[in-house]
Amino acid sequence: MAIGFGRSMISSDMVLLWRDSNDGHTIVSQRKTSVFSMPTVVSNPPRVATALDYRATSNSSAVTLSFSVPSITDTRQDLIWAWSSDQPSGNTPDATIVQHDDEGNFVLSLTNLQFTDDSSSPTTTITPTGGSSGSSSSSSPLTHYQKVFAAHGILMTLAFLVFLPFGALQARLLRTSVEGKWWFGAHWIIQWPLTAILIIVGFALAVDEVGDLRTGHLNSTHKKWGLVIVLLYVVQCMLGGVIHHFKPARATGRPPQNYFHAILGITIIALSFWQVHTGFDIEWESIGGEPVSKSIRAWWTAWIVIIPLMYVAGLALLPRQYRKEREQRTANAAKLQPTYALRETSYRD
């Protein structure tokens, strides 16, 4: 088993414990890692751990692996834990270990630590806070990789939950109420160059940092669906270009690809709401991040209601849009009709 002092495996001082296969004494191995791989032994740890060979009970076969370290003055301690059913390769602190079977994190709060002076030894009352939420108002500073993933989340949220919905809504609401085609220019600029820049940078940040940490690019639901949504966005942009540049010469109605373009756009935005939620609710905490603030969750909840309502309101303009499109098709068809001119011809005997 292992206990680490921090919010994530990365850069946390860890104490690994297991029983010697020969005589049963506790082996202590203090390790650290800068990537998500097997931590290596630290020769001079900041706090040296000492094994305590306590057993659970005298009549129980259960074994308690325990240790002690010098105390610190912090009243709030972020801790991680992990365990594996596989024994390390040997009985030395530098033995090879395999990946853990389970892991987690929690916060130990010592703010209610109390001492009594009416006995020979002090009595303490410790209030732990399970999970990673904690009860302390103070927050630990973000690590480098957490800052990178935070930037990734902000950029992708702006791209998929702000720019994409705004580009779709302005096209839906303004194409029938404002004369001219400027709505299409705004739609194209928002959906392609502006949004694409945010997506490319945000996607690259995540891919690069995941590569550095060696956590695996497709080992979670968030990562897999992130790739799917980005690919769907590329398809959507290509489809929009096809619809704009290759119009049927004698169309009698709206082409099927126009409907597919609208449905695909709605699908991408809907998936993006779910993707952002898995990002801040699951993925962020899996890398040791503290739970996001209530204000962020409140914004997400409000936004997932506001955007659909605005789009549904814009659907009320569909009859007017279809009428204008019919008029435009009629005008285009008239331009393509052949014209005939009668010419007077004189004949002489």
Side-chain angles (χ1 to χ4, degrees):
M1 62 160 285
I3 293 291
F5 299 92
R7 288 184 292 163
S8 172
M9 177 179 175
I10 303 296
S11 301
S12 293
D13 294 305
M14 291 176 277
V15 179
L16 282 66
L17 306 168
W18 68 91
R19 288 290 187 181
D20 189 302
S21 58
N22 296 322
D23 57 18
H25 79 273
T26 301
I27 298 173
V28 178
S29 177
Q30 295 190 249
R31 305 191 181 198
K32 199 169 187 177
T33 182
S34 60
V35 296
F36 283 98
S37 62
M38 187 184 79
T40 56
V41 174
V42 177
S43 57
N44 293 306
R47 290 189 291 168
V48 178
T50 304
L52 302 174
D53 286 326
Y54 295 147
R55 294 188 179 272
T57 58
S58 59
N59 60 351
S60 172
S61 60
V63 176
T64 300
L65 295 172
S66 57
F67 68 95
S68 66
V69 291
S71 61
I72 57 177
T73 58
D74 294 346
T75 59
R76 179 184 187 277
Q77 180 66 68
D78 294 294
L79 297 170
I80 58 174
W81 59 266
W83 69 272
S84 173
S85 58
D86 295 318
Q87 187 77 2
S89 64
N91 298 320
T92 57
D94 60 349
T96 301
I97 60 174
V98 297
Q99 186 174 1
H100 45 69
D101 295 329
D102 199 6
E103 50 79 27
N105 63 331
F106 64 97
V107 176
L108 182 64
S109 175
L110 304 178
T111 54
N112 294 331
L113 190 66
Q114 298 175 355
F115 295 89
T116 59
D117 297 328
D118 57 353
S119 61
S120 58
S121 61
T123 301
T124 61
T125 302
I126 300 175
T127 305
T129 58
S132 59
S133 58
S135 60
S136 174
S137 59
S138 61
S139 298
S140 302
L142 296 179
T143 62
H144 168 74
Y145 69 90
Q146 287 174 338
K147 291 178 181 178
V148 173
F149 286 126
H152 156 79
I154 292 171
L155 291 174
M156 298 304 259
T157 299
L158 287 174
F160 284 99
L161 293 192
V162 178
F163 280 81
L164 280 185
F166 179 73
L169 285 172
Q170 69 86 26
R172 165 61 41 218
L173 299 174
L174 300 181
R175 66 192 302 167
T176 57
S177 57
V178 178
E179 295 297 330
K181 287 287 188 177
W182 74 267
W183 67 265
F184 174 78
H187 177 73
W188 179 85
I189 292 173
I190 295 171
Q191 305 298 75
W192 167 231
L194 293 182
T195 300
I197 290 173
L198 295 176
I199 292 175
I200 291 171
V201 176
F203 190 77
L205 285 175
V207 171
D208 182 66
E209 195 64 22
V210 167
D212 289 344
L213 296 177
R214 305 176 194 172
T215 59
H217 289 288
L218 296 174
N219 62 345
S220 71
T221 301
H222 182 79
K223 294 174 184 176
K224 293 174 183 177
W225 276 100
L227 177 61
V228 170
I229 293 172
V230 170
L231 292 177
L232 288 177
Y233 166 77
V234 174
V235 172
Q236 178 75 335
C237 290
M238 294 173 63
L239 181 59
V242 170
I243 292 173
H244 179 67
H245 294 289
F246 301 96
K247 298 181 183 296
R250 298 179 181 274
T252 58
R254 300 192 91 235
Q257 58 264 32
N258 290 49
Y259 292 102
F260 183 72
H261 185 63
I263 294 172
L264 181 58
I266 295 173
T267 301
I268 292 173
I269 294 174
L271 287 174
S272 299
F273 272 104
W274 172 76
Q275 178 73 352
V276 168
H277 190 274
T278 63
F280 68 67
D281 194 52
I282 299 175
E283 203 74 14
W284 175 247
E285 293 188 23
S286 72
I287 61 170
E290 295 185 355
V292 299
S293 65
K294 292 182 179 180
S295 60
I296 294 178
R297 295 179 182 273
W299 172 83
W300 182 90
T301 302
W303 205 239
I304 202 174
V305 175
I306 293 172
I307 294 299
L309 286 178
M310 292 183 67
Y311 193 84
V312 169
L315 295 179
L317 300 173
L318 277 177
R320 183 177 180 182
Q321 175 186 335
Y322 289 159
R323 176 175 56 80
K324 294 186 68 174
E325 289 178 352
R326 285 194 300 269
E327 293 173 353
Q328 186 62 46
R329 287 194 296 270
T330 301
N332 293 339
K335 294 178 181 179
L336 296 174
Q337 292 294 331
T339 56
Y340 301 93
L342 295 177
R343 184 177 59 181
E344 183 178 352
T345 305
S346 60
Y347 297 91
R348 295 182 180 179
D349 293 331

